[in-house]
Amino acid sequence: MIIPKLHYISQGKTPEEHLENIQKACTSGAELVQLRLKNVKKSVVLKTAEKAREITAHFQTRLIINDHYQIAKDVKADGVHLGKTDADPAVARKFLGDYYIIGGTANTLDDCLALVKKGVNYIGLGPFRFTTTKENLSPIIPLIGYQSIVEELKSDMPIIAIGGITIEDVPKVLKTGVYGIAASGEITKDFNKINAFHKLLKASSTNEQLWNRETNF
């Protein structure tokens, strides 16, 4: 299972804006987008996810649904991302099977260790800095914190740094040993930055990490 190094997390004041931004991200070369709708009815998430799947399928872009693992299966998305207060990854895995990507949010080494045991395919570790798009009471993780967690985890699990990361942050964040970057606001402001992110991440398909839960557990 290949995990891209750059994850675009959708933004927008309305579901329609999320879809517009997903379209722009795909047009600009995004290899993975996460539909992240909060505080809306499940029926709205489903309808928006169906449209997002149409867009991403056209561009052969991977689609991850935030939180709603049942909807991920309903629309034949590529996977789901589960926050710390969302469903248990083990429950989602039993429902989805082995062919779906499951990502989980972590703020500490203990969080990461728990997610590895639950069989996720990647970990979103953060926040690198506070953002206005996500209510996160967890303390920010400094660069030395990322490096320490990556070293102590002693796993090939792909670690994706999350939380207000800008293009200027990428080189120093990568030096900590993380695998990739998730970006939202930075890309939404200028979708041309996707190409710049890819160059910094050297995110060609040959450099993407193949994560096999059986051999890496």
Side-chain angles (χ1 to χ4, degrees):
M1 186 176 292
I2 295 174
I3 307 297
K5 291 187 174 186
L6 178 64
H7 296 199
Y8 170 63
I9 302 173
S10 70
Q11 279 191 10
K13 294 179 180 178
T14 64
E16 290 75 22
E17 283 189 16
H18 278 263
L19 291 170
E20 288 173 11
N21 288 331
I22 286 173
Q23 172 90 34
K24 291 175 183 176
C26 291
T27 302
S28 300
E31 295 178 341
L32 183 150
V33 299
Q34 180 190 137
L35 173 64
R36 186 177 187 274
L37 283 174
K38 292 296 184 182
N39 303 315
V40 298
K41 293 180 180 178
K42 194 171 181 179
S43 60
V44 175
V45 177
L46 175 59
K47 187 175 295 185
T48 309
E50 288 172 342
K51 294 177 180 177
R53 175 75 285 187
E54 291 177 11
I55 295 168
T56 54
H58 176 77
F59 289 92
Q60 296 184 318
T61 301
R62 295 174 185 84
L63 174 65
I64 301 293
I65 306 298
N66 185 279
D67 184 4
H68 300 276
Y69 64 90
Q70 301 99 329
I71 289 177
K73 191 169 187 177
D74 288 342
V75 303
K76 296 181 173 62
D78 295 277
V80 65
H81 183 90
L82 300 170
K84 293 182 71 175
T85 59
D86 296 336
D88 187 312
V91 173
R93 176 64 68 196
K94 186 174 181 180
F95 181 83
L96 293 171
D98 288 335
Y99 295 102
Y100 281 79
I101 296 170
I102 296 180
T105 298
N107 307 119
T108 66
L109 175 61
D110 285 344
D111 290 342
C112 291
L113 291 169
L115 287 170
V116 170
K117 287 183 178 179
K118 289 180 180 294
V120 299
N121 299 103
Y122 73 87
I123 294 171
L125 179 62
F128 179 71
R129 64 169 56 91
F130 291 117
T131 67
T132 58
T133 57
K134 187 173 183 179
E135 296 178 8
N136 195 325
L137 301 178
S138 301
I140 62 172
I141 302 176
L143 291 170
I144 189 66
Y146 275 98
Q147 184 174 338
S148 175
I149 290 173
V150 170
E151 290 175 353
E152 292 185 52
L153 190 59
K154 297 176 182 176
S155 170
D156 291 331
M157 172 71 68
I159 302 295
I160 306 294
I162 60 175
I165 296 171
T166 68
I167 200 77
E168 291 78 17
D169 295 324
V170 175
K172 57 188 177 185
V173 172
L174 289 179
K175 284 183 179 178
T176 67
V178 300
Y179 172 72
I181 301 288
S184 188
E186 182 80 341
I187 289 176
T188 303
K189 287 184 288 187
D190 182 3
F191 286 94
N192 291 322
K193 286 188 177 179
I194 287 177
N195 188 47
F197 270 106
H198 281 158
K199 287 180 178 178
L200 289 170
L201 291 163
K202 297 182 175 63
S204 67
S205 59
T206 55
N207 285 328
E208 290 177 350
Q209 188 163 318
L210 189 65
W211 173 251
N212 185 307
R213 294 192 309 119
E214 299 300 323
T215 59
N216 288 276
F217 183 75

